[in-house]
Amino acid sequence: MPATPLINGINYSWANISWVMFGVPVVGITKISYKRKLKKDNNYGFGQHPISRGYGNYEYEGSVELYTDEWKRIIAASPDRDPLAIGPFDIQVVFQGSRLTTERDVLRSVEFMEDPLEASQGDSKLLVTIPLIIAAIER
């Protein structure tokens, strides 16, 4: 069976993502992860099978991995040099390219949850992973 050629065969890739914080693109980012989930439970009554389903809260979680020098710049711009003291802010994750439709996810009321550092002998680059608390994700 002959293969069907791709039409507009361009997908989003890491090169098409930018992360904007406080109106400034953050270039030292190497990974971003975020998700939302909705609590769902089966409800049981008579018998062994669910009789209904209950829905709870939306939950959001995420993290960002970046070079330590980028993190140090965020720390330097933080109140009292404490990134955990930065008030809630939005992060824009922009997907764009010359032949792609521009899309934007907005992480609302984000705060940093940790201020870590980890380094090992022989490391040629230092990265930190910062967990985020997120109030909402707009797609």
Side-chain angles (χ1 to χ4, degrees):
M1 177 175 188
T4 304
L6 291 176
I7 299 174
N8 297 326
I10 299 173
N11 291 321
Y12 293 116
S13 63
W14 183 252
N16 303 113
I17 297 175
S18 63
W19 184 48
V20 180
M21 184 174 134
F22 307 122
V24 177
V26 179
V27 296
I29 185 171
T30 59
K31 181 179 181 179
I32 187 163
S33 172
Y34 53 91
K35 66 180 176 181
R36 76 178 184 144
K37 54 187 174 180
L38 176 62
K39 183 171 173 51
K40 299 179 182 183
D41 292 308
N42 284 329
N43 300 319
Y44 294 87
F46 180 77
Q48 297 174 312
H49 301 284
I51 59 169
S52 66
R53 182 159 292 145
Y55 299 90
N57 295 328
Y58 279 100
E59 298 175 11
Y60 304 89
E61 59 184 66
S63 65
V64 62
E65 180 183 80
L66 39 97
Y67 286 101
T68 299
D69 58 326
E70 187 80 62
W71 182 237
K72 295 287 187 188
R73 282 191 284 279
I74 292 171
I75 291 170
S78 301
D80 297 323
R81 298 187 53 83
D82 182 0
L84 305 181
I86 298 173
F89 58 93
D90 293 345
I91 294 175
Q92 295 182 44
V93 182
V94 183
F95 304 84
Q96 62 188 4
S98 61
R99 297 189 292 170
L100 296 168
T101 303
T102 298
E103 297 287 337
R104 181 181 325 266
D105 290 351
V106 182
L107 312 182
R108 297 286 187 194
S109 295
V110 175
E111 292 184 64
F112 298 119
M113 306 239 340
E114 295 179 7
D115 180 10
L117 175 67
E118 185 173 323
S120 298
Q121 192 282 327
D123 286 349
S124 62
K125 60 183 176 184
L126 296 181
L127 298 168
V128 291
T129 300
I130 315 297
L132 306 172
I133 186 167
I134 304 167
I137 298 172
E138 293 178 7
R139 299 209 186 245

